[in-house]
Amino acid sequence: MKRQTKISNAVIKRLPRYRRYLRELQKKGIDKISSNEFSNLTGYTASQIRQDLNNFGGFGQQGYGYSVDGLYNEISVILGLDKEYKMVIVGAGNLGQAIANHTYYYKTGFIVCGIFEINPKLIGMKINDIEVMDYDSIVEFVEDNDIDIGIICTTKDAAQEVADKLCFAGVGGLWNFAPVDIETPHHVAVENMHISDSLHSLAYHMNKSQNQEEKK
Amino acid sequence: MKRQTKISNAVIKRLPRYRRYLRELQKKGIDKISSNEFSNLTGYTASQIRQDLNNFGGFGQQGYGYSVDGLYNEISVILGLDKEYKMVIVGAGNLGQAIANHTYYYKTGFIVCGIFEINPKLIGMKINDIEVMDYDSIVEFVEDNDIDIGIICTTKDAAQEVADKLCFAGVGGLWNFAPVDIETPHHVAVENMHISDSLHSLAYHMNKSQNQEEKK
């Protein structure tokens, strides 16, 4: 497969979405789809879809469309979802618990192996059969169990220190839910999930809608 | 203030981030910043920052830079964060609880007024002093209390029906955490928070980093 070297982050962000829709088509027993049909489904233009997929060598055949299974599998490989990832969660509050319980992750190769906490009241409890352990033991656990991803569900103030410790212990990626941008060495990937940013975008779009309504 | 009519979603997505950094500068007592300094802080290029802010008429003065307070306040107004939003949460599981507890929202004009649930075991409990109510009463509650935003923390299968009910009851925006894209009438804004999409992007970037490491 021919791949271009520079693929924009915007394209990468759309691939999980394409993949979700392809999964729905698979469930309905649909085995091929044109870029126009896929455009109607996903809300992206057909030309955008073709352009995005051409980044990875393109998968469609002229006059035939895309094979749903083929495209689903290729996107999965591109995203690295054909592999298994071992994860730890830091912070066993509601958010850490919500993520531990989100059974979706277990089905797709993302396995929560341990949850870590500094609050002694939470240490020892079990969330979805996963034990909440003392944060003091995290480096040893990550090293011994070859953990790939650290999920940060701590307060804003603790997040960078937790990130540093996880990087030191050898994780390859951090999924950060604390409301602060964390920094990592260049070889450690980060996704910052700023849920409040999303709420602020919503507020903008609500006001925009209202302004447009008023003008009518 | 002169505003362009078409502002891309990518720009809107960066504004909350700019605002977060400006808030940090305010806390440190810094009252002005050049676009170069702001670039170093946020990781966006100075030209990107200038271009983004020019969408809204621009706020900087040549040779002076940006007023931190001024820019913070202007971005807040643009995003609609100078107003107050009344919200309800649907789904009182871990995710709904995590959001209810996220005290941040109370500080910035986003107020959770009620939480709704179909599970009788959860109805009547209190989360952060907010009562969990029977989902059957949601339309009446939204109408009577002029609720602005509905937060969907249900399963994938229930999400669209909940969205329809909230739109019928008159909310202006939906913040959807269920792992499915929901549809709304054109006057109701939606932000879909697909947390698994973010995990899949992380997997991609981890593999990209590893591939680059191997090539060295």
Side-chain angles (χ1 to χ4, degrees), chain A residues 79-81 85 110, chain B residues 198-208:
Chain A
L79 290 171
L81 302 182
Y85 298 89
F110 294 93
Chain B
S198 151
L199 184 57
H200 294 171
S201 289
L202 179 64
Y204 172 82
H205 289 294
M206 286 173 67
N207 286 289
K208 196 184 64 176

Side-chain angles (χ1 to χ4, degrees), chain B residues 61-116:
Chain B
Q61 278 182 292
Q62 194 76 37
Y64 173 88
Y66 295 105
S67 150
V68 171
D69 284 350
L71 192 51
Y72 178 85
N73 293 336
E74 287 287 357
I75 290 179
S76 299
V77 171
I78 290 164
L79 289 173
L81 301 182
D82 53 333
K83 302 179 186 172
E84 195 164 85
Y85 299 88
K86 292 200 267 184
M87 315 197 288
V88 291
I89 296 173
V90 184
N94 282 304
L95 187 60
Q97 292 187 30
I99 289 168
N101 278 322
H102 205 313
T103 53
Y104 177 79
Y105 307 125
Y106 307 125
K107 284 192 263 167
T108 56
F110 294 93
I111 298 156
V112 176
C113 300
I115 304 174
F116 293 85

